[in-house]
Amino acid sequence: MKKRILTGDRPTGKLHLGHLFGSLKNRVALQEKYETYILIADVQALTDNFLTPEKVRENVLEVAMDNLAVGIDPAIATLCIQSLIPEIAELTVFFSNLVTITRLERNPTVKEEIKQKANLFRGGVTMGFLGYPISQAADILSFRAEVVPVGADQLPMIEQTREIARKFNLIYEKTFSLPKAEVSKFPRIKGLDGQSKMGKSLDNAIFLADSQQEIELKVMKAFTDPKKIYKNDEGHPLSCAVYQYQSIFSENEELVDIKNGCQKGKLGCVECKKNLMKKTIAYLEPIQNKRHYYEKRPNLVKEILLTGTKKARKITQETMAIVKKRMKIDYFD
Ligand code: TRP
């Protein structure tokens, strides 16, 4: 029997190159070897977007289409919607007995996000947001998943999930195996500004669905080595955002030429950017063609999500029957 994967995305925006290399390529590569479930985590998205639910709603289909566009095959992998799987919410309640507030406050990913969302949480952090690692543990464990492909930023979440599983097993009875993170081999890619990681809210991302013109404009404005002002200046590729993308999209030999040309003042930034635009557009073309296919067929995408969610619930319902038995609340079974 194949081991089971559970992974997920928050539907708060379209997916971009950071997602592609950080997690999507990894899950596409694993979908044949594992029984794969991909959760569109709308409940989690609402923990910091509760004021703008329409944003979450709009992006459920977008994120599903992004997954399909990069090669998730609905015939072998299952896409499903978190809010339509109430067993996850139920399990979250039971798990919340096993986690202290201080433990949640120590979670580095949550800590970092609270800092970034200082505005939203000015009056205090909500229980929903502080507790979302518990809900993410419920995502993973309600599927009894053994492998969780994620970007490196999600490692603290998997660690916390393992703690919860361990504690549940100890207090009640051995029920869950401890899931393992499977981290993407690609390093985290920086945004077009060259400063921070690519993020949908930072205005520094190339989205999988960006048009040719958008890609051209974005690449033209991308951050390059500030010390290279004229073509003939010696450049420093390692501190250049454009070079970082060149290193993803170029063959080895070509990359060496770009690096040498830049360093020796033979290759100017404009020429280098034009070259990168072409490569980015060519790289995204098959993904976009597939995306267009699904964009024209929203009912097909909805059907995939509905069928997937039904299939997913069979598993989560089984899990809850076991959990309730172990917790001695299976009164009428
Ligand atoms: N927290 C993840 C992110 O921000 C999304 C997510 C929700 C997830 N549930 C999950 C990832 C379960 C892995 C497993 O990207």
Side-chain angles (χ1 to χ4, degrees):
M1 257 200 8
K2 287 184 184 175
K3 284 190 181 172
R4 191 176 295 146
I5 274 181
L6 184 280
T7 189
D9 302 304
R10 292 184 194 183
T12 55
K14 291 181 184 165
L15 303 183
H16 51 63
L17 289 180
H19 296 115
L20 181 62
F21 293 104
S23 56
L24 298 174
K25 279 177 86 66
N26 207 21
R27 70 175 69 151
V28 171
L30 296 172
Q31 66 180 339
E32 294 194 17
K33 182 165 166 218
Y34 295 93
E35 182 191 342
T36 297
Y37 288 82
I38 298 162
L39 188 67
I40 309 216
D42 57 341
V43 176
Q44 185 178 117
L46 283 165
T47 63
D48 60 339
N49 291 280
F50 53 87
L51 296 173
T52 50
E54 63 284 353
K55 177 169 133 189
V56 175
R57 183 192 175 97
E58 280 161 19
N59 283 301
V60 168
L61 279 196
E62 298 292 344
V63 166
M65 289 192 292
D66 282 329
N67 272 279
L68 294 164
V70 299
I72 286 299
D73 177 356
I76 53 175
T78 307
L79 281 159
C80 50
I81 301 180
Q82 189 184 24
S83 62
L84 294 177
I85 308 176
E87 293 76 23
I88 296 176
E90 207 179 0
L91 192 56
T92 303
V93 173
F94 296 142
F95 281 170
S96 65
N97 294 330
L98 311 180
V99 184
T100 64
I101 309 268
T102 41
R103 175 63 183 89
L104 290 166
E105 286 169 340
R106 271 204 324 267
N107 183 308
T109 306
V110 173
K111 241 173 152 170
E112 181 58 35
E113 284 173 309
I114 290 174
K115 240 192 258 163
Q116 282 170 11
K117 297 168 210 289
N119 244 340
L120 179 64
F121 295 130
R122 214 180 350 221
V125 179
T126 59
M127 178 165 140
F129 190 79
L130 187 66
Y132 94 73
I134 306 179
S135 142
Q136 188 159 333
D139 294 343
I140 297 166
L141 297 175
S142 64
F143 281 81
R144 284 165 284 141
E146 292 179 79
V147 181
V148 189
V150 281
D153 63 310
Q154 292 294 307
L155 286 176
M157 297 296 163
I158 314 305
E159 191 45 48
Q160 210 170 347
T161 301
R162 292 165 61 90
E163 275 175 43
I164 291 171
R166 223 179 274 129
K167 202 154 178 190
F168 188 100
N169 290 346
L170 203 71
I171 298 174
Y172 305 105
E173 199 180 315
K174 171 134 186 23
T175 304
F176 299 109
S177 49
L178 306 188
K180 286 197 181 67
E182 169 89 38
V183 180
S184 166
K185 290 167 286 299
F186 286 94
R188 189 185 277 197
I189 69 169
K190 284 217 181 93
L192 292 159
D193 54 5
Q195 303 304 315
S196 37
K197 75 166 185 173
M198 193 174 274
K200 49 198 151 199
S201 49
L202 299 169
D203 200 22
N204 67 359
I206 293 180
F207 293 93
L208 303 179
D210 273 350
S211 69
Q212 204 162 319
Q213 291 90 316
E214 281 167 316
I215 294 171
E216 284 172 359
L217 265 171
K218 286 180 178 179
V219 172
M220 216 55 211
K221 285 196 297 195
F223 175 87
T224 51
D225 173 13
K227 298 206 186 89
K228 186 173 168 88
I229 297 164
Y230 301 106
K231 176 181 165 185
N232 296 343
D233 292 342
E234 290 175 10
H236 306 83
L238 295 182
S239 51
C240 171
V242 170
Y243 181 76
Q244 182 203 211
Y245 301 126
Q246 287 283 19
S247 66
I248 296 173
F249 294 127
S250 310
E251 301 293 335
N252 262 344
E253 264 170 56
E254 201 186 0
L255 188 64
V256 172
D257 286 346
I258 292 170
K259 190 171 181 186
N260 287 338
C262 172
Q263 284 172 328
K264 292 186 182 137
K266 289 191 178 132
L267 173 67
C269 295
V270 172
E271 191 185 340
C272 180
K273 282 177 168 178
K274 285 196 172 146
N275 169 284
L276 177 66
M277 283 170 200
K278 276 199 207 116
K279 280 185 206 154
T280 311
I281 290 166
Y283 187 88
L284 288 178
E285 192 181 286
I287 294 177
Q288 299 196 339
N289 286 344
K290 213 163 192 181
R291 205 178 193 284
H292 291 150
Y293 174 88
Y294 287 106
E295 281 165 6
K296 283 191 226 128
R297 295 166 179 82
N299 284 337
L300 173 61
V301 182
K302 286 181 193 164
E303 191 52 46
I304 290 171
L305 286 169
L306 262 175
T307 315
T309 303
K310 261 193 211 143
K311 185 172 163 206
R313 275 199 82 185
K314 288 223 174 77
I315 298 176
T316 58
Q317 282 168 339
E318 264 170 37
T319 305
M320 286 318 289
I322 304 170
V323 162
K324 287 183 174 172
K325 192 159 174 222
R326 302 276 153 88
M327 292 184 73
K328 314 217 179 294
I329 51 176
D330 56 332
Y331 307 116
F332 300 106
D333 291 348

